[in-house]
Amino acid sequence: MVYTISGIRLPAVPSACKWSRSTSNGNRNTNLSLLLKDSFCRNVFAGMSSPGSDSSSVMVAATNKILVPGSQGDGSLSLTEQLESPETVQEDPQVLRDVDDKIIEDDKKHEKEVKFVEPTSGYNEFDNEQDSASSTLVGDDRRAHGDKASTPVDEKKGVKKDESRPRTVSPPGTGQRIYEIDPFLNNHRKHLDYRYGQYKRLRDAIDKHEGGLEVFSRGYEKFGFSRSATGITYREWAPGAKSAALIGDFNNWNPNADIMNRNEFGIWEIFLPNNADGSLPIPHGSRVKIHMDTPSGIKDSIPAWIKYSVQAPGEIPYNGIYYDPPEEERYVFKHPQPKKPKSLRIYESHVGMSSTEPKINTYAEFRDDVLPRIKRLGYNAVQIMAIQEHSYYASFGYHVTNYFAPSSRCGTPDDLKSLIDRAHELGLLVLMDIVHSHASNNVLDGLNMFDGTDGHYFHSGSRGYHWMWDSRLFNYGSWEVLRFLLSNARWWLEEYKFDGFRFDGVTSMMYTHHGLEVAFTGNYNEYFGFTTDVDAVVYLMLVNDVIHGLYPEAVSIGEDVSGMPAFCIPVQDGGVGFDYRLHMAIADKWIELLKKRDEDWRMGDIIHTLTNRRWLEKCVAYAESHDQALVGDKTLAFWLMDKDMYEFMALDRPSTPRIDRGIALHKMIRLITMGLGGEGYLNFMGNEFGHPEWIDFPRGDQHLPSGKVIPGNNSSFDKCRRRFDLGDADFLRYHGMQEFDQAMQHLEETYGFMTSEHQYVSRKDERDRIVVFERGNLVFVFNFHWINSYSDYRVGCLKPGKYKVVLDSDEPLFGGFSRIDHCAEYFSSDGWFDDRPHSFLIYAPSRTAVVYALADGVEPVKSLI
């Protein structure tokens, strides 16, 4: 038997002991709980191994049945194709009927003729005698409504519920405003109107058959494990399975003990009554799996909706954990969520690699050590990667195996809640790097081949496989896939109080070519044609509906490199609905320039890249993110200073020309990116002080089927950590770079220039290598020349008056040479210069960036607190 982890075939570890599989009698609470109080989850697995069943490698092609809500088919037709095509309207109650606008608006007679057996409308088919009205979501805080940031706090009960806030999603709009915003879109009206029509029809179908998006996005309340006063119900959608049984520690892994029943929609269900003494039939912390007879053979899988999963020491596949701690052990949120800031300053982070030591850091350590640092640096949001469980650590969290489970490497779900609550106490938004663009291809502990068929959650065949990422691709036209993903997004907002998302790999979602080997030129035909995955775009519109409709303060950011028009326009206006797009071209441009000589840099090229964004669509700019820090690439600091960083960063040693150039340009690149690149700013942890070297996750040798061996790093954590001590050491040059980044954040906090409507580039001089621009009430001056400094250099400005320096990259505190006099005053003179009505004279030293502001009420921005 072999297990597959992200395409790597590894031998199974032999079981350390044999398990009895006899049916348990009497009281079920005779099994060992795997989550002992106050102990780290993975330690309890010492010497233990979960039993597993060999899975056949036989794969069967998906059938061509029409895919309908809750149906057992794996058909090739997408949901939007069904809604559009009249031939899909049949008398079979399992088939989703045509619900176009005409049917919705016409008389009710037609609705009676087209009989539809509602598979999950209000979850009516799930209601039974055992599943009482007191049903409790496992691990939930029993909230029917969310909390406002201004909600008062009771220290014992936590943040109070706000019953007044409506939990509804606004109905679709006309979808026509995009043509007013961008008249060029009129040339593609047919495609865009079709897309919006599909979105409206799907919204109508969800309203009609599910009770609306608010109900539809709460699938976690019924799928997976749910607890009531009388017992536990477990439900799973696995239409391809021939039989199913719930197994685990609670029944000694006996596949004949708790057989599940299937309904006509391929949903398997079992109710386990409480034990005779009133205790739960499945103890908190018990391992659980679903045992299925599938077209691909017998397999034991982690439940798709599992809320926690853990890898036992010495084992490869993960184990699902029934996570339902006693009331007194549940974490209770104490602090209200912050209001959405006008401008986002995001600190991108990874909990596991956030320690200065070569180890996997914990949620608690990140909470206590890293969050105060983020606050001190002046960021107002922390974006956390690798939250969703992923069995392969080196995937950086992007090969997700368990979508509703937080990564157990760093602690328990309650530990994560404590981290988020502490961030809120500090006034920080917590954004989650969510992965809905693809999934791990693991079979035993992921969604791949879950019910034994290739087209269950994913497209079948080549369309369902990402050849570059070695992962599976969701079928966004499937009703139950929509329920799963929409509920997943809401779960993290509702249960863990995340303040929003950064959606990964959105370009891959929106196009059938996934953006691979495609150079987007800006031609609109690249966005609206047969290569666009309309189902995926409609899903993105729906998930933004859920996010913004149910959580108005939440933030959604999309990672799109294509420049899809209307990406950040509200859904009701015809857009995709994101708040921000990641401005990914900027980082690529800096890497491109750093491979050239300084003499070959072009100011106009830099300005064009920074300002090349769509009107009314906000962007998050960054000079570098985690992508540039990975092994095989270089950070900006390493591109600039290379091996000199190993020997010449101590202040008691002489610098080198390479170090001086690198530190100067590192500061300038980051400031001009923040100044012109967008309405938000992002930095990956450690890069604020020029973290040396690269990120390399622990990994062993990889043996490919071809016989080739890719060497690992001996499973070392040495380069999978963050040396924050370097930035804090005032005897190292890293410290000055960190101080400058901190000053940048507080300059924005003080003046709010990133969200100002006033932005004007008055000079981009290719001979002098000077860039001058206004953003808000500030004047930014950059001298990129490697030698020349300019005295009495005139710069234009909009407002007359006395100007003073508020930020100077050449200040000694920031590792500069103190060539700017901060006591100097700069008086403007009338008369047009560089198309500005006023101007003033300055001194512009080489490789410096200086920011000026009107002197009235101005205090220089240096370092924080």
Side-chain angles (χ1 to χ4, degrees):
M1 177 172 63
V2 295
Y3 297 114
T4 302
I5 299 181
S6 299
I8 304 173
R9 294 171 63 83
L10 300 168
V13 178
S15 179
C17 58
K18 294 185 181 294
W19 290 82
S20 170
R21 289 191 160 235
S22 60
T23 306
S24 55
N25 297 315
N27 194 318
R28 290 175 177 264
N29 275 345
T30 58
N31 303 292
L32 175 66
S33 173
L34 297 181
L35 288 179
L36 304 179
K37 186 177 181 180
D38 298 327
S39 64
F40 188 65
C41 57
R42 294 197 293 167
N43 293 339
V44 301
F45 283 105
M48 303 181 67
S49 173
S50 68
S53 301
D54 291 347
S55 296
S56 170
S57 60
V58 177
M59 300 175 65
V60 295
T63 63
N64 287 323
K65 295 179 182 178
I66 295 174
L67 193 56
V68 300
S71 79
Q72 52 190 304
D74 305 307
S76 58
L77 282 181
S78 69
L79 180 60
T80 53
E81 288 171 328
Q82 299 159 36
L83 296 174
E84 184 70 13
S85 305
E87 60 268 24
T88 65
V89 181
Q90 305 174 14
E91 294 301 321
D92 187 338
Q94 295 186 24
V95 177
L96 178 64
R97 306 303 177 183
D98 189 324
V99 288
D100 60 15
D101 294 338
K102 187 174 186 300
I103 291 180
I104 298 299
E105 296 172 0
D106 279 354
D107 55 47
K108 296 182 179 180
K109 178 180 178 181
H110 186 71
E111 292 184 10
K112 293 180 180 179
E113 293 174 356
V114 184
K115 183 179 179 182
F116 183 89
V117 178
E118 299 175 348
T120 49
S121 179
Y123 304 107
N124 292 331
E125 82 289 2
F126 292 142
D127 296 334
N128 52 44
E129 295 179 1
Q130 295 94 348
D131 196 9
S132 65
S134 61
S135 177
T136 303
L137 172 61
V138 173
D140 192 38
D141 58 358
R142 295 158 181 77
R143 290 171 296 151
H145 300 278
D147 308 313
K148 281 190 176 180
S150 58
T151 303
V153 175
D154 185 308
E155 291 298 332
K156 293 182 179 180
K157 298 181 179 179
V159 181
K160 293 182 179 179
K161 294 189 298 184
D162 180 14
E163 302 291 347
S164 63
R165 194 179 91 182
R167 302 305 297 270
T168 58
V169 180
S170 300
T174 62
Q176 299 299 298
R177 187 167 178 263
I178 54 173
Y179 304 117
E180 300 174 16
I181 296 172
D182 184 357
F184 287 105
L185 292 176
N186 279 297
N187 297 328
H188 302 274
R189 182 182 285 270
K190 184 176 181 180
H191 176 100
L192 289 165
D193 285 352
Y194 170 78
R195 184 179 82 183
Y196 203 75
Q198 301 300 79
Y199 157 77
K200 290 180 67 175
R201 294 182 183 99
L202 190 50
R203 280 291 305 269
D204 289 340
I206 292 172
D207 289 345
K208 177 180 178 181
H209 302 300
E210 298 284 355
L213 273 177
E214 197 281 328
V215 177
F216 192 52
S217 61
R218 285 190 278 120
Y220 49 78
E221 292 184 351
K222 289 296 179 178
F223 283 91
F225 293 94
S226 58
R227 174 165 55 83
S228 69
T230 55
I232 296 173
T233 301
Y234 169 60
R235 299 185 184 92
E236 198 73 74
W237 175 59
K242 304 170 186 177
S243 65
L246 181 62
I247 58 175
D249 291 330
F250 73 98
N251 65 5
N252 292 324
W253 302 89
N254 186 347
N256 300 313
D258 295 294
I259 305 298
M260 302 178 71
N261 297 313
R262 168 181 166 156
N263 67 12
E264 66 270 31
F265 305 112
I267 296 172
W268 296 87
E269 176 179 337
I270 188 171
F271 175 76
L272 303 177
N274 288 339
N275 295 312
D277 62 359
S279 59
L280 291 176
I282 308 177
H284 165 58
S286 298
R287 293 174 297 176
V288 290
K289 287 189 176 182
I290 180 172
H291 177 84
M292 291 179 286
D293 181 6
T294 76
S296 298
I298 302 295
K299 69 190 296 276
D300 295 344
S301 295
I302 295 177
W305 298 71
I306 199 72
K307 305 305 189 296
Y308 193 46
S309 62
V310 174
Q311 184 182 41
E315 290 192 3
I316 295 174
Y318 275 57
N319 292 280
I321 300 296
Y322 177 78
Y323 194 84
D324 188 12
E327 196 69 33
E328 62 274 12
E329 295 181 17
R330 297 173 185 267
Y331 186 82
V332 178
F333 286 94
K334 304 176 182 64
H335 304 285
Q337 294 176 249
K339 293 290 186 182
K340 179 166 52 179
K342 188 175 181 181
S343 65
L344 276 178
R345 300 187 301 276
I346 302 170
Y347 196 82
E348 186 184 29
S349 58
H350 183 287
V351 173
M353 57 173 291
S354 64
S355 174
T356 57
E357 302 298 323
K359 66 172 189 176
I360 295 178
N361 217 17
T362 67
Y363 296 126
E365 290 168 316
F366 187 92
R367 175 197 65 204
D368 297 338
D369 301 333
V370 183
L371 286 179
R373 168 183 296 277
I374 297 171
K375 177 67 175 179
R376 185 176 69 253
L377 288 172
Y379 292 86
N380 58 18
V382 53
Q383 178 180 299
I384 307 180
M385 308 171 61
I387 288 295
Q388 295 165 295
E389 189 59 89
H390 49 291
S391 64
Y392 187 40
Y393 189 45
S395 73
F396 228 137
Y398 291 123
H399 279 206
V400 176
T401 45
N402 309 123
Y403 276 77
F404 290 82
S407 177
S408 60
R409 291 181 181 88
C410 303
T412 68
D414 288 286
D415 293 336
L416 175 58
K417 291 178 182 179
S418 176
L419 182 161
I420 294 171
D421 200 24
R422 172 60 173 151
H424 291 163
E425 182 184 10
L426 293 171
L428 297 171
L429 266 66
V430 186
L431 306 178
M432 175 179 168
D433 197 342
I434 196 168
V435 186
H436 283 183
S437 51
H438 63 130
S440 167
N441 63 9
N442 289 15
V443 172
L444 293 184
D445 52 13
L447 294 178
N448 188 21
M449 301 287 292
F450 184 83
D451 70 347
T453 64
D454 185 44
H456 183 201
Y457 281 92
F458 311 106
H459 288 293
S460 59
S462 60
R463 188 180 177 188
Y465 178 74
H466 197 294
W467 60 266
M468 179 174 284
W469 294 345
D470 189 24
S471 56
R472 296 305 310 271
L473 301 173
F474 287 104
N475 178 4
Y476 303 101
S478 164
W479 190 272
E480 290 302 326
V481 171
L482 289 178
R483 186 200 308 280
F484 183 84
L485 294 176
L486 291 173
S487 298
N488 183 244
R490 184 171 181 181
W491 167 253
W492 296 107
L493 296 173
E494 186 78 14
E495 176 70 8
Y496 289 88
K497 291 185 178 292
F498 277 97
D499 301 292
F501 301 110
R502 177 257 197 198
F503 279 83
D504 176 69
V506 174
T507 303
S508 175
M509 298 172 66
M510 294 192 298
Y511 307 96
T512 55
H513 53 61
H514 312 301
L516 300 176
E517 300 178 340
V518 173
F520 289 97
T521 65
N523 187 313
Y524 278 28
N525 291 319
E526 298 168 348
Y527 307 118
F528 311 115
F530 292 114
T531 60
T532 304
D533 189 335
V534 174
D535 288 337
V537 177
V538 169
Y539 163 70
L540 293 171
M541 296 164 74
L542 290 173
V543 76
N544 277 304
D545 270 351
V546 170
I547 293 169
H548 296 124
L550 302 180
Y551 307 89
E553 291 296 316
V555 176
S556 67
I557 305 170
E559 186 198 30
D560 171 41
V561 71
S562 72
M564 166 71 79
F567 187 76
C568 295
I569 299 297
V571 175
Q572 64 180 7
D573 296 331
V576 184
F578 284 97
D579 293 311
Y580 296 88
R581 170 194 277 113
L582 283 178
H583 201 334
M584 302 175 69
I586 297 176
D588 294 337
K589 175 56 66 175
W590 289 125
I591 297 300
E592 175 190 323
L593 291 175
L594 290 176
K595 295 177 181 178
K596 299 179 179 180
R597 302 178 308 155
D598 292 3
E599 295 88 335
D600 296 327
W601 289 24
R602 293 292 174 262
M603 302 301 101
D605 188 25
I606 295 172
I607 298 305
H608 172 74
T609 301
L610 291 171
T611 59
N612 184 25
R613 54 187 186 273
R614 298 183 58 81
W615 183 51
L616 296 182
E617 299 193 42
K618 294 186 291 186
C619 288
V620 173
Y622 58 93
E624 56 184 336
S625 68
H626 71 272
D627 288 329
Q628 287 71 41
L630 288 171
V631 63
D633 206 337
K634 290 183 180 181
T635 62
L636 292 182
F638 219 55
W639 273 108
L640 288 163
M641 294 176 276
D642 204 50
K643 62 182 180 180
D644 281 20
M645 297 182 75
Y646 295 118
E647 298 185 47
F648 301 101
M649 293 302 282
L651 290 174
D652 62 355
R653 300 192 62 179
S655 182
T656 67
R658 178 179 287 174
I659 291 293
D660 291 341
R661 171 184 180 268
I663 291 177
L665 289 178
H666 191 271
K667 292 179 289 185
M668 295 178 70
I669 286 171
R670 300 172 80 79
L671 181 59
I672 197 171
T673 298
M674 175 183 262
L676 276 181
E679 293 71 29
Y681 179 78
L682 178 143
N683 165 66
F684 179 68
M685 63 178 186
N687 287 350
E688 68 273 11
F689 61 83
H691 198 289
E693 297 186 318
W694 53 87
I695 298 169
D696 192 7
F697 283 86
R699 52 193 170 83
D701 295 343
Q702 183 178 353
H703 297 267
L704 301 180
S706 62
K708 182 181 178 181
V709 177
I710 300 177
N713 61 7
N714 199 27
S715 299
S716 171
F717 283 87
D718 183 61
K719 289 183 173 56
C720 193
R721 54 177 170 154
R722 294 282 89 179
R723 293 292 305 277
F724 293 119
D725 54 312
L726 298 177
D728 293 341
D730 57 9
F731 56 86
L732 297 177
R733 291 184 168 88
Y734 296 106
H735 184 67
M737 299 161 76
Q738 178 170 283
E739 288 290 318
F740 182 76
D741 190 86
Q742 181 174 273
M744 276 173 40
Q745 309 309 317
H746 291 281
L747 179 74
E748 211 293 317
E749 177 69 21
T750 303
Y751 293 98
F753 58 85
M754 283 199 302
T755 55
S756 172
E757 293 183 0
H758 177 61
Q759 174 177 306
Y760 190 88
V761 178
S762 59
R763 176 170 288 247
K764 41 188 177 181
D765 194 308
E766 301 295 351
R767 185 189 64 181
D768 295 342
R769 306 302 168 111
I770 292 281
V771 171
V772 181
F773 63 86
E774 301 161 15
R775 191 86 188 264
N777 292 323
L778 301 178
V779 177
F780 293 75
V781 179
F782 291 80
N783 181 1
F784 281 96
H785 204 286
W786 50 98
I787 296 175
N788 293 346
S789 298
Y790 306 102
S791 58
D792 294 331
Y793 199 88
R794 185 171 295 279
V795 298
C797 61
L798 176 65
K799 297 182 179 180
K802 180 176 67 175
Y803 284 81
K804 294 201 69 171
V805 173
V806 291
L807 183 62
D808 168 22
S809 70
D810 202 43
E811 189 174 344
L813 176 65
F814 308 142
F817 298 99
S818 192
R819 290 173 287 176
I820 297 291
D821 183 0
H822 289 196
C823 295
E825 297 175 340
Y826 304 86
F827 293 90
S828 67
S829 58
D830 296 336
W832 288 87
F833 183 81
D834 284 347
D835 289 327
R836 313 312 288 150
H838 311 280
S839 63
F840 57 93
L841 298 175
I842 64 167
Y843 175 53
S846 61
R847 287 193 181 131
T848 59
V850 183
V851 184
Y852 300 87
L854 285 169
D856 294 339
V858 165
E859 292 295 332
V861 177
K862 292 185 179 180
S863 165
L864 186 78
I865 322 174

